[in-house]
Amino acid sequence: MHLLHIDSSIRGDWSVSRRLTARAVDAWRAAHPGGTVAYRDLGADPLPHLDAAGGLARMTPPDQHTPAQRESWELSERLVDEVKQADVVLLGLPLYNYGAPSSVKSWVDHLIVPGLAYDPTTQEGLLGDREFVVLASRGGGYGEGAPRNGWDHAEPWLPHGLSLTGLRPRFISAELTLAPSVPAMAELIPLHEASLAQAEKEIDNLWPPAGAAR
């Protein structure tokens, strides 16, 4: 068994999404002794965004690629191959300015490749035969009844952004993660702690440890 672990937070040790993905990796390893893990850190080593020089590689026959298009295409090939090699893809998804980090958008853009991630004739996704777990963190609260209900545009976008590939995310989320560090949110700390505890519980139940009763 093989897991692809992707982080995207730029907050380092302060990051809740990194804390959650690390917990999930530990749980996965406990359930899959001998399993292997590949790691990509989009926060520390972001991918290049699609640009005018190389971005049209996905719409240009390979034998007509410019050097920049060839480089962009080869990067997409490597990224798609990382996903194809994984039985489980684990993505940490913080919320920045009410959307996904731009590094995650770039990762998604590089995966949308005809012939590699989806069949250009049938539009059938080619990456769907694997588990895709997304551990989301949000500094505020955006659920039903919250003043900014609906302002989280990361979680609704990701399934649409990856829809061609066949990847179907399962979300586990922790909210109000800024409450412990923002004085104006101090009264929300108990709600934050409850949200985090629920997320950790869901993570711990993803993969029963090897030998555990099922």
Side-chain angles (χ1 to χ4, degrees):
M1 296 289 288
H2 181 66
L3 180 144
L4 173 60
H5 172 194
I6 303 173
D7 279 322
S8 61
S9 173
I10 60 175
R11 288 173 54 82
D13 292 341
W14 293 93
S15 167
V16 173
S17 66
R18 286 178 183 269
R19 170 179 166 180
L20 294 177
T21 61
R23 188 184 188 98
V25 170
D26 288 344
W28 186 88
R29 287 186 185 276
H32 303 89
T36 57
V37 177
Y39 183 60
R40 179 171 288 279
D41 191 337
L42 299 175
D45 187 18
L47 300 167
H49 291 282
L50 301 188
D51 60 17
L56 293 180
R58 293 133 199 87
M59 305 176 186
T60 305
D63 61 354
Q64 298 178 27
H65 281 173
T66 66
Q69 289 172 340
R70 186 177 307 113
E71 182 179 359
S72 182
W73 178 269
E74 289 173 352
L75 174 57
S76 283
E77 284 184 317
R78 293 196 298 273
L79 295 170
V80 170
D81 191 55
E82 285 181 353
V83 173
K84 286 183 174 179
Q85 289 180 25
D87 299 287
V88 178
V89 178
L90 177 68
L91 172 66
L93 183 69
L95 186 70
Y96 291 162
N97 298 317
Y98 311 112
S102 63
S103 59
V104 174
K105 177 63 164 63
S106 184
W107 177 71
V108 168
D109 286 343
H110 276 284
L111 291 183
I112 310 302
V113 184
L116 299 182
Y118 69 94
D119 185 310
T121 302
T122 65
Q123 303 293 296
E124 179 183 0
L126 303 178
L127 304 182
D129 192 21
R130 56 196 35 81
E131 189 176 4
F132 182 32
V133 179
V134 179
L135 303 181
S137 62
R138 300 186 280 268
Y142 304 96
E144 189 81 23
R148 293 180 177 175
N149 177 28
W151 285 39
D152 173 5
H153 299 290
E155 190 167 319
W157 160 76
L158 188 63
H160 299 160
L162 287 168
S163 59
L164 276 175
T165 70
L167 286 169
R168 298 290 181 265
R170 172 182 175 176
F171 289 96
I172 297 175
S173 304
E175 285 200 324
L176 300 167
T177 61
L178 290 177
S181 60
V182 177
M185 297 177 66
E187 65 181 15
L188 300 174
I189 289 177
L191 293 177
H192 154 67
E193 292 175 342
S195 176
L196 182 60
Q198 178 61 32
E200 291 175 340
K201 180 180 178 180
E202 291 182 42
I203 289 168
D204 293 345
N205 290 331
L206 282 171
W207 308 287
R214 295 176 181 269

